[in-house]
Each structure stands twice: as structure tokens, then as C-alpha cells.
């Protein structure tokens, strides 16, 4: 089975740092993605991890520990436009071929306050 | 060009209507996806096409019928829908061949569907 857990909501002030945790228990693992989704809009890709460690992209960083089934997305120097839902998604290699489905967590709503 | 386009943006249809959602990408991607998303929920995978062939159907009711006429286009034909089918329908594409798992999915803006 698949289980991907994220906090429902987090609030932080402009300029601060917020860390969104994601834990997963999936039958297979072939990478973890983070997406940002503003209300009423499509998800946009933020980051990808397949090996343990930290990936940094500007104000956003993502960390993965495969042995712990754990990832986090770190948002630094928060801006008002960062208010959005952040989706953790695990790529499952599947049982019949190497192509993998993307299983999404429920998303974490980040609210940035002035 | 990293754009996936979807038409229409909004659609209202009755339970006896037949309509189609359209999706297009010109990134040379060979995998295309349909997702359904309810308010405050994550996207749920419905169908996957890989190299224009249906590779995954997530036990979707037959009132939803996907079609991939060519490598750039993906349609979702709708017939006899129920009010509970009202949702945001997202199309996505990726270069993924299964060999390179880092290929992310690019999402279109979605079609907001209301079934009355």
C-alpha cells in the first residue's frame, strides 16, 4: 500500500524559514518530488530527490533520507507569493514495468503573513 | 516551451451530455496523464499514456474515455457523468521513458468541470 503524510497547514511570517516534512511508506521508491500549487492553478515542479541528501535551488531546498522514508522541503526568505499548497509526491516504479506512477500526499497549505 | 495547454478552462454539463476535454503539449514528451483533483485534495491519477498507448487505467468508470490521437494531443471524452464527477481535471506530460526517473511532470492549468 501507499501512505504519504504531510502536515495539513503551516503558518510563517514574511522573511522567515519554513520546513515542510513528508514521510512515506510505499511499496516501491524511484524518487520524490515536491510541487507547489496555488489555489485554482496547476501544480508546478519545485524539486526532485532520488539519492539521500540535500538538493538546493535558490530559496528552496529539499532533503531525502530513503532509510527513514523521510523528506523535507525548506523554504527560506519567505515571500507573500509563497502562500500555496506544497505537495510531496513519491514515484512508485510499479510492478510490471519500469515506468513509475506519482503518488501525491494530501498537501501542506503554507500561509505567509506580513 | 514548457507549456501544457488545456481547453476549455471551464465546462458545465448536464448528466446526459457528451463533452470532451483537450490537452496539448509540444515538448516532445512521450508520456501524458489525466488527473482528477477535488478541492483541497491532491491530484488523483486517472490514466497514463506512454508512446500513445494506454499504459495505466486507475479503475476509472467507463463514463470517462481517454484518447491519444498523436504524441502531442490527449483527449478525455465525457458521457453520462454524475454530479460527484465535478472537479478540476488536470493534464500532465513528461519525457519519462522509465529509464530516467528524474523527468518531472508538467501540468496544464486544468479544466474546471461542473456536472449539473
Amino acid at each position: 500500500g501507499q501512505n504519504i503524510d504531510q502536515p495539513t497547514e503551516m503558518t510563517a511570517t514574511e522573511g522567515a524559514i519554513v520546513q515542510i516534512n513528508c514521510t512515506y511508506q510505499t511499496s516501491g521508491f524511484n524518487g520524490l518530488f515536491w510541487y507547489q500549487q496555488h489555489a485554482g492553478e496547476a501544480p508546478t515542479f519545485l524539486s526532485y530527490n532520488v539519492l539521500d541528501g540535500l538538493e538546493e535551488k535558490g530559496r528552496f531546498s529539499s532533503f531525502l533520507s530513503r532509510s527513514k522514508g523521510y523528506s523535507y522541503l525548506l523554504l527560506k526568505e519567505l515571500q507573500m507569493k509563497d502562500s500555496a499548497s506544497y505537495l510531496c509526491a513519491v514515484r512508485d516504479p510499479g510492478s510490471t514495468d519500469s515506468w513509475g506512477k506519482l503518488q501525491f500526499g494530501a498537501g501542506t497549505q503554507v500561509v505567509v503573513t506580513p | 516551451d514548457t507549456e501544457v495547454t488545456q481547453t476549455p478552462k471551464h465546462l458545465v454539463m448536464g448528466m446526459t451530455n457528451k463533452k470532451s476535454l483537450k490537452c496539448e503539449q509540444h515538448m516532445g514528451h512521450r508520456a501524458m496523464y489525466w488527473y482528477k483533483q477535488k478541492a483541497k485534495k491532491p491530484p488523483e491519477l486517472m490514466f497514463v499514456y506512454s508512446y500513445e498507448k494506454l499504459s495505466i487505467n486507475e479503475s476509472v468508470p467507463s463514463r470517462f474515455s481517454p484518447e491519444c490521437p498523436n504524441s502531442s494531443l490527449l483527449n478525455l471524452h465525457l458521457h453520462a457523468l454524475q454530479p460527484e464527477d465535478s472537479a478540476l481535471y488536470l493534464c500532465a506530460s513528461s519525457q519519462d521513458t522509465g529509464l530516467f526517473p528524474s523527468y518531472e511532470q508538467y501540468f496544464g492549468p486544468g479544466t474546471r468541470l461542473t456536472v449539473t
Side-chain angles (χ1 to χ4, degrees):
Chain A
Q2 315 283 351
N3 195 26
I4 301 172
D5 289 319
Q6 318 176 220
T8 304
E9 186 171 314
M10 302 182 75
T11 301
T13 53
E14 210 172 358
I17 298 173
V18 70
Q19 177 175 313
I20 307 168
N21 296 325
C22 172
T23 58
Y24 62 90
Q25 290 177 304
T26 56
S27 54
F29 179 84
N30 198 10
L32 187 144
F33 295 79
W34 284 96
Y35 281 83
Q36 178 192 61
Q37 187 174 25
H38 287 97
E41 298 182 11
T44 55
F45 169 76
L46 290 178
S47 70
Y48 167 77
N49 297 72
V50 69
L51 299 176
D52 291 352
L54 188 68
E55 294 284 338
E56 296 188 83
K57 265 189 174 185
R59 294 189 299 113
F60 295 169
S61 303
S62 58
F63 171 84
L64 175 68
S65 169
R66 289 171 296 170
S67 62
K68 295 181 180 177
Y70 167 71
S71 172
Y72 68 72
L73 179 70
L74 197 68
L75 285 62
K76 294 178 264 190
E77 300 168 20
L78 278 174
Q79 302 175 9
M80 297 300 290
K81 67 178 182 180
D82 297 328
S83 291
S85 180
Y86 291 83
L87 300 161
C88 171
V90 173
R91 187 183 165 99
D92 182 341
S95 58
T96 56
D97 56 50
S98 58
W99 187 89
K101 299 189 300 187
L102 217 53
Q103 297 285 346
F104 284 88
T108 298
Q109 185 66 43
V110 170
V111 178
V112 181
T113 59
Chain B
D1 179 12
T2 57
E3 189 180 26
V4 177
T5 59
Q6 290 186 244
T7 55
K9 285 189 176 180
H10 299 276
L11 178 62
V12 180
M13 60 186 290
M15 289 189 284
T16 58
N17 292 157
K18 281 187 181 180
K19 296 286 184 183
S20 296
L21 309 184
K22 296 185 184 303
C23 173
E24 191 167 1
Q25 57 88 14
H26 294 288
M27 295 177 277
H29 289 174
R30 302 315 297 266
M32 295 186 78
Y33 315 72
W34 280 115
Y35 287 88
K36 172 183 177 180
Q37 187 175 28
K38 293 279 210 179
K40 299 189 186 300
K41 298 287 186 185
E44 295 176 20
L45 184 66
M46 299 174 72
F47 302 104
V48 180
Y49 274 82
S50 179
Y51 289 83
E52 299 156 54
K53 291 185 179 177
L54 183 64
S55 62
I56 295 177
N57 176 343
E58 291 286 272
S59 303
V60 179
S62 60
R63 57 185 185 269
F64 295 91
S65 175
E67 178 197 19
C68 190
N70 60 55
S71 60
S72 300
L73 293 173
L74 185 66
N75 298 322
L76 185 63
H77 303 297
L78 314 173
H79 174 55
L81 294 194
Q82 304 297 311
E84 59 265 28
D85 296 323
S86 298
L88 180 68
Y89 288 84
L90 293 163
C91 172
S93 72
S94 72
Q95 196 172 345
D96 195 352
T97 64
L99 296 176
F100 302 99
S102 63
Y103 289 142
E104 65 267 29
Q105 293 181 21
Y106 291 86
F107 285 83
T111 294
R112 178 74 59 188
L113 174 67
T114 303
V115 182
T116 61

